[in-house]
Amino acid sequence: MAAAGSSVFILGLLITMGTVAPLAEARAFFVFGDSLVDNGNNNYLATTARADAYPYGIDYPTRRATGRFSNGLNIPDLISEQIGMEPTLPYLSPALTGQRLLVGANFASAGIGILNDTGFQFLNIIRITQQLEYFQQYQQRVTALIGAEQTQRLVNQALVLMTLGGNDFVNNYYLVPFSARSRQFALPDYVVYLISEYRKILVRLYELGARRVLVTGTGPLGCVPAELALHSRNGECAVELQQATGLFNPQLVQLINNLNSEIGSDVFIYANAFEMHTDFISDPQAYGFVTSKIACCGQGPYNGIGLCTAASNLCPNRDLYGFWDPFHPSEKANRIIINQIMTGSSKYMNPMNLSTIMALDSRV
């Protein structure tokens, strides 16, 4: 970005930040991404990427499936809990109207990735470009409610969560042997391409008014039960997916550092999901788990084959399992992750954790 552009960019940021009132305790929350953070949008779509039937939601307060890929609460729910807000509704929910809009919205959709061809096999899902268009539409709806100036303030002050990238490997590059993307790119080149596309997404999010964005890296993709079932003989993590993660995450950190440097402010915050997951995967007993290799709900080796359904094996105590289904952490594991997001050291959160963000923003 040219120096003149940067100064306008920074000046715009300072003007915007100057309008921020001390509303950190009641800030809106917006969520973008995939199944790790979807809280029910896919229930409203004709897609196979759904979590709308038992035993999903078995430990949710209502004991019913909500579209969350969890036995109970997911990461966005727990962040809302920590910042003192009610959980955001899925953007497609008919209940998201009136004052409920001011809480924020969840735009995430299971199966999506950085690339628009990721998750094509799930048919109708909300690609990230569409999620950002919905965010624009959301702001128009809120403007009709509280006016343009207050809407801009609400968006600028909001906390934003962005979780992307895992599906670009699991449900694209490595979906089948000799996938279209793996024929097009060697892995290192594919990662460079992903990062260049991710940059456009984050810049667009900034243009739409986001000023505090938690960006999660990918977890240890090769260690989830689904990959152990496909590739592991003795419980060892799948090498290729671990290599992919090892290439992707450092380049994502570099992207975030570069963007913050250009903006002149810590807009983007890196959440090191790899380290957060590796803690309980490498030493499950230290976190009260019996296993982090076998999913609570599933079938086949490591309960890692297929989907979690009413016909699956189901563990009686979800708190003893690091993984709920072949791909997604249990609520207990999500709580461990949230603890690091809130108070973790720079090993987990860079340049700062969410508690520090909350304290800083309450003083603006």
Side-chain angles (χ1 to χ4, degrees), residues 66-78:
T66 61
R68 291 164 171 83
F69 286 75
S70 172
N71 58 301
L73 301 179
N74 66 6
I75 295 282
D77 294 324
L78 298 172

Side-chain angles (χ1 to χ4, degrees), residues 1 9-10 13 17 27 30 32 128 132 135 155-156 158-164 195 197-217 249 251-272 341 346 348-354 356-357 360-361:
M1 190 176 290
F9 205 40
I10 294 162
L13 176 67
M17 295 300 263
R27 71 199 309 179
F30 301 107
F32 301 86
I128 190 61
L132 293 171
F135 187 37
V155 171
N156 291 160
L159 183 68
V160 180
L161 176 65
M162 175 69 79
T163 295
L164 284 176
I195 294 293
E197 292 300 302
Y198 207 166
R199 181 189 170 87
K200 296 173 191 172
I201 292 161
L202 295 179
V203 167
R204 182 64 185 138
L205 192 57
Y206 181 87
E207 289 169 355
L208 290 171
R211 294 294 179 267
R212 284 292 192 204
V213 186
L214 302 179
V215 182
T216 61
N249 285 332
Q251 290 183 49
L252 179 57
V253 173
Q254 192 60 53
L255 168 60
I256 287 170
N257 290 342
N258 290 346
L259 286 172
N260 287 341
S261 175
E262 287 171 25
I263 295 165
S265 177
D266 292 326
V267 170
F268 299 102
I269 313 293
Y270 178 67
N272 192 332
I341 288 175
S346 57
Y348 301 98
M349 297 293 294
N350 187 38
M352 64 189 112
N353 61 39
L354 186 49
T356 304
I357 293 168
L360 278 175
D361 293 352

